Amino acid sequence: KQEVTQIPAALSVPEGENLVLNCSFTDSAIYNLQWFRQDPGKGLTSLLLIQSSQREQTSGRLNASLDKSSGRSTLYIAASQPGDSATYLCAGTGNQFYFGTGTSLTVIP
Amino acid sequence: DVKVTQSSRYLVKRTGEKVFLECVQDMDHENMFWYRQDPGLGLRLIYFSYDVKMKEKGDIPEGYSVSREKKERFSLILESASTNQTSMYLCASSLLTGEAFFGQGTRLTVV
């Protein structure tokens, strides 16, 4: 069964820092890799989808990369802002979605 | 924009009640999913469906059933609610192997 791990579990940074969130998975046979954001008490918001044939995707200050051979994905957030504070989850797609347990990010003003 | 709508944001039900959680998506997605999310346990898949009238058990189907009579609607049923089913319930939809979109979540409390 696919196991997805996210490190670190929690991260606190001052505003303006660049940061990297990590996601690793045990089975390289995932199809897509998707990153989500979740605010407290809310549903998940899709941030970036890296499809099977791609290696990275960018949206604004966010950049996600995928290396299937090593079983890793990273989410890079540039110039962090307090509004980026949330939990970030990654999910690999096989015949279903396999979620990590998330990284809780706090950006301090 | 894809929209996944869950019928309630908050629900309080009594032990033993039959509970229906409804989810509707507007993008003609084949796949629909029900997850529950608990602190420290992450998202756990309850049931999913690849097509109308089709359903597959996820990791924790016990105590739950589902119904998908129309492509856009996927219902989660708690046959006899128990306190250990107090949780956040999240519905999602996607195209086959495509991007997943989630609803806003239903916080269910069973008393």
Side-chain angles (χ1 to χ4, degrees), chain A residues 67-104:
Chain A
D67 183 347
K68 285 188 179 181
S69 61
S70 66
R72 292 180 186 277
S73 176
T74 60
L75 178 66
Y76 176 82
I77 303 176
S80 57
Q81 302 171 357
D84 295 331
S85 298
T87 297
Y88 291 82
L89 297 109
C90 65
T93 307
N95 59 349
Q96 55 175 278
F97 292 89
Y98 300 92
F99 282 88
T101 50
T103 294
S104 177

Side-chain angles (χ1 to χ4, degrees), chain A residues 9-17 19 21 36-43 45 47 61-62 75 77-89 103-109:
Chain A
L11 182 62
S12 183
V13 300
E15 182 178 2
E17 272 204 10
L19 57 101
L21 306 182
F36 297 88
R37 167 189 175 130
Q38 186 176 31
D39 293 290
K42 303 286 181 65
T45 300
L47 295 174
R61 295 182 292 107
L62 306 180
L75 178 66
I77 303 176
S80 57
Q81 302 171 357
D84 295 331
S85 298
T87 297
Y88 291 82
L89 297 109
T103 294
S104 177
L105 173 65
T106 302
V107 180
I108 303 164

Side-chain angles (χ1 to χ4, degrees), chain A residues 32 34 38 41 43 46 95-96, chain B residues 9 37 45 50 97 99-100:
Chain A
N32 298 330
Q34 192 169 355
Q38 186 176 31
S46 178
N95 59 349
Q96 55 175 278
Chain B
R9 284 294 313 277
Q37 186 179 32
L45 181 63
Y50 289 137
T97 68
E99 187 174 4

Side-chain angles (χ1 to χ4, degrees), chain B residues 10-101:
Chain B
Y10 302 96
L11 274 179
V12 181
K13 296 292 182 181
R14 296 193 179 278
T15 301
E17 274 194 76
K18 190 169 187 175
V19 181
F20 293 86
L21 303 183
E22 306 285 346
C23 176
V24 177
Q25 51 97 359
D26 66 359
M27 282 301 292
D28 203 35
H29 285 170
E30 294 95 352
N31 299 341
M32 295 190 75
F33 307 83
W34 274 106
Y35 292 87
R36 64 177 282 177
Q37 186 179 32
D38 300 286
L41 297 177
L43 275 83
R44 293 181 291 168
L45 181 63
I46 305 171
Y47 269 96
F48 60 105
S49 170
Y50 289 137
D51 202 349
V52 176
K53 296 193 187 294
M54 292 184 64
K55 59 184 179 184
E56 298 283 344
K57 292 180 180 179
D59 299 320
I60 52 162
E62 297 79 17
Y64 304 94
S65 63
V66 289
S67 172
R68 193 163 180 202
E69 296 297 318
K70 294 185 178 181
K71 192 173 186 180
E72 67 269 20
R73 186 180 297 270
F74 192 35
S75 303
L76 180 69
I77 304 155
L78 285 67
E79 297 290 343
S80 177
S82 64
T83 54
N84 63 12
Q85 292 179 308
T86 291
S87 186
M88 170 72 95
Y89 289 87
L90 294 164
C91 174
S93 74
S94 74
L95 292 169
L96 209 60
T97 68
E99 187 174 4
F101 296 89

